[in-house]
Amino acid sequence: MKIPFSPPYIDKAVINEVVDSLRSGWITSGPKVKALEEEIKVFSGAKEVLCVNSWTSGAIMMLRWLGVKAGDEVIVPAYTYSATALAVLHAGAKPVMVDSGTDFNISVEAICNAVTPKTKAIIPVDIAGFPCDYDRIMQLVNEPEIHDLFQASSPVQEKLGRILVMNDAAHSLGAYYTRNQRTGCETDIAIFSLHAVKNVTTAEGGAICLNLPEPFDNAELYKELRMMSLNCQTKDAFSKSKAGGWRYDIVGLGMKINMADVNAAIGLAQIREYPELLKERKRVFNIYSEGFADCDWALLPPSVDREKESSYHIYALRIKGFTEEQRDRMIDEIAKSEVAVNVHFIPMPMLSFFHSLGYDIKDYPQAYENFKGEISLPIYPQLNEEQLQFIIKVVKKAYCKVVNNDSLL
């Protein structure tokens, strides 16, 4: 039985929405992008939402808007995908990596220990779709001793008056932070990824959620950032295409990172179905947890903690006591049955580029502990009971094979 890791969910509604875009004669930024922004805004509870062409470009733009520069620091977890730190570097600042907790997410204690007068932002990451402890993080940046350390070096920083918290919500569209509050509105800024493997996709894309406190006006900021995402051009292509609407101006140094309507069409169809798709992802997640519940070697991933609930984006199974080499052999055994699995993530200090910058995995022991035994299992709505039971059987068999082979050595 051949089981892919993460195929996109493409049904008739998605195809019809894309075809409608193609037939409309307008395929770049236009009405479907605006409609998707409104859908995500309502779904997440964010004050404003701007769609762009990727999470990474959105994060770079927001850090540039914040006014970070060489010498400034942005705190990120060592255990995340590289884009979190690469965005900081592209914006001109230094990523300060900190360790994780046992739930995969950034350690609040580690954040506290890493704050300096150079700290301008914190980017927590909702690993696998399970929200970070944002109450504590938002309390932290407002604590007198942390607040007093802050030194503004741009007009935006002066206006905010404290460290910015920007949630890397790439995995967590649809997660609950509280019973009545989904992710996307619990920090100053949150950015969802709409990449091909995400719960809701536009093939490539991202959605910036704006929730800045007074005196910021999020509606006005949306207009400013929308222009910034279009090279700071005063008219978008849709407006310029109208009769007599050709004249425009360039009013700043922007970026070209807008989302196209043909991409937004995919996400627009999916997000309308997302409540049901989310239930199916939860079904898959729970079947795995039931299947491995009696395995004393299996560390099951977090899904619910009081009012917090995951978006069920990744099923991050960890094998207790395994070395990295044993985990890799177990993946090889699973592959023999044509079940595709993955690893989320290789901690950034283990990647050549970041290691060359002086980051060392020895400084992040929990991040390495989380990584060395982690195997991500397929999780998507199309998986049926027979396929899921097959995957569980294959994983258990692979574990036994590795353990038995090692016992013979």
Side-chain angles (χ1 to χ4, degrees), residues 73-379:
E73 297 175 348
V74 177
I75 296 172
V76 301
Y79 190 86
T80 182
Y81 182 60
S82 59
T84 312
L86 291 174
V88 176
L89 290 167
H90 279 298
K94 176 186 177 182
V96 175
M97 297 185 193
V98 301
D99 209 357
S100 306
T102 56
D103 65 350
F104 292 102
N105 287 338
I106 194 167
S107 162
V108 180
E109 290 74 21
I111 293 174
C112 187
N113 293 333
V115 172
T116 74
K118 297 179 180 179
T119 306
K120 307 303 180 188
I122 301 167
I123 308 181
V125 184
D126 298 332
I127 302 293
F130 188 68
C132 297
D133 191 344
Y134 290 108
D135 282 351
R136 290 180 64 198
I137 294 170
M138 294 306 293
Q139 287 168 8
L140 176 68
V141 297
N142 285 292
E143 287 176 0
E145 58 269 33
I146 298 296
H147 190 275
D148 291 347
L149 277 177
F150 182 70
Q151 296 180 5
S153 57
S154 77
V156 170
Q157 292 170 29
E158 192 76 45
K159 192 173 181 179
L160 183 62
R162 60 164 170 78
I163 297 168
L164 178 89
V165 180
M166 186 167 77
N167 174 12
D168 180 343
H171 293 177
S172 61
L173 179 61
Y176 280 100
Y177 187 64
T178 67
R179 190 171 289 107
N180 299 310
Q181 178 185 352
R182 292 192 184 271
T183 52
C185 61
E186 69 276 35
T187 60
D188 301 316
I189 298 165
I191 307 179
F192 296 123
S193 173
L194 302 173
H195 177 261
V197 300
K198 299 302 189 288
N199 291 16
V200 172
T201 181
T202 55
E204 294 284 353
I208 303 169
C209 299
L210 303 173
N211 306 288
L212 285 145
E214 293 183 347
F216 290 95
D217 182 329
N218 288 285
E220 287 302 312
L221 179 57
Y222 166 84
K223 294 175 186 176
E224 177 188 338
L225 293 170
R226 187 168 184 269
M227 187 166 60
M228 191 175 179
S229 74
L230 288 159
N231 285 324
C232 281
Q233 182 174 288
T234 53
K235 282 187 180 177
D236 61 23
F238 193 68
S239 300
K240 283 172 61 186
S241 70
K242 296 177 181 178
W246 62 272
R247 189 178 293 277
Y248 65 91
D249 195 9
I250 300 293
V251 295
L253 179 62
M255 300 169 68
K256 184 63 169 69
I257 62 170
N258 57 300
M259 180 183 284
D261 263 24
V262 71
N263 292 92
I266 302 170
L268 194 55
Q270 286 195 354
I271 198 163
R272 289 168 179 164
E273 298 182 56
Y274 190 38
E276 290 304 314
L277 297 177
L278 198 53
K279 288 178 185 176
E280 289 301 297
R281 299 187 78 93
K282 183 175 181 177
R283 171 186 63 84
V284 173
F285 191 104
N286 288 341
I287 288 173
Y288 282 142
S289 291
E290 290 165 10
F292 295 112
D294 61 348
C295 300
D296 59 5
W297 48 266
L299 293 171
L300 308 185
S303 59
V304 177
D305 180 13
R306 296 186 294 275
E307 294 189 17
K308 285 201 299 185
E309 183 175 359
S310 176
S311 68
Y312 304 101
H313 176 57
I314 292 170
Y315 193 88
L317 180 69
R318 281 172 288 180
I319 314 304
K320 192 183 298 181
F322 258 28
T323 64
E324 187 181 341
E325 186 269 340
Q326 286 174 306
R327 187 274 314 276
D328 293 352
R329 282 194 283 127
M330 186 168 166
I331 289 174
D332 290 341
E333 288 296 328
I334 293 169
K336 290 176 183 177
S337 296
E338 295 192 293
V339 173
V341 297
N342 211 323
V343 172
H344 290 86
F345 292 97
I346 302 173
M348 290 188 293
M350 297 179 68
L351 301 172
S352 297
F353 174 68
F354 294 107
H355 190 67
S356 73
L357 296 179
Y359 299 100
D360 190 335
I361 192 58
K362 292 177 183 176
D363 296 327
Y364 314 98
Q366 187 60 54
Y368 183 73
E369 185 66 25
N370 290 339
F371 157 74
K372 70 183 180 68
E374 197 273 341
I375 301 176
S376 301
L377 305 184
I379 178 169

